[in-house]
Amino acid sequence: MKLGFLTLFMIFFSCVEVVETEIELEFFHLDLYMDKEKKGNYYIVEYPRNRDHWYTEVYVSSHPNVFVKWDSDDVFCVDFMNQIICEPIIRYSTYTRTDGSGQQMIYLTSDFIGDTLSVIGCIDENVCDELRFIVD
């Protein structure tokens, strides 16, 4: 009897209607930028000639605590145990700070000198920004 009452109690009072609210993404903005010199639509990243690899950063401006996924069509490759492994120059994801700012690192190799590269940041499949830069 107690088990039946407990079961009925759980059925009637533990079921709560779940209401999903979709964030209005058209109000979100996402701006990518670098603290480098800009010529036209391209940032200029000075690569140190005495290094085999180097990092530079991309900054993001958006709303507070926004999840930003990073990607790039540009890749670097390494030979690891007789196997070539290629990865994008920027990966993973970050969250913006409470002031809406953030950053992510970009991996560069000396092979990129003279190339134009790009990175993409997205907070949704419809809200993305792309940044292009020249490695000099």
Side-chain angles (χ1 to χ4, degrees), residues 3-32:
L3 184 58
F5 177 72
L6 182 59
T7 303
L8 285 174
F9 181 80
M10 294 294 288
I11 290 173
F12 287 114
F13 294 106
S14 68
C15 295
V16 177
E17 182 180 339
V18 177
V19 178
E20 292 186 24
T21 58
E22 188 172 317
I23 298 173
E24 297 290 332
L25 289 173
E26 66 261 12
F27 297 114
F28 276 78
H29 75 277
L30 179 70
D31 297 312
L32 304 183

Side-chain angles (χ1 to χ4, degrees), residues 85-99:
I85 300 171
C86 297
E87 295 290 334
I89 60 172
I90 191 168
R91 290 188 49 182
Y92 306 114
S93 56
T94 57
Y95 279 92
T96 58
R97 298 178 188 99
T98 55
D99 65 355

Side-chain angles (χ1 to χ4, degrees), residues 87-122:
E87 295 290 334
I89 60 172
I90 191 168
R91 290 188 49 182
Y92 306 114
S93 56
T94 57
Y95 279 92
T96 58
R97 298 178 188 99
T98 55
D99 65 355
S101 67
Q103 79 176 54
Q104 180 64 312
M105 302 304 290
I106 302 169
Y107 182 79
L108 300 175
T109 69
S110 57
D111 295 335
F112 292 132
I113 295 174
D115 290 345
T116 301
L117 307 176
S118 66
V119 295
I120 301 168
C122 294

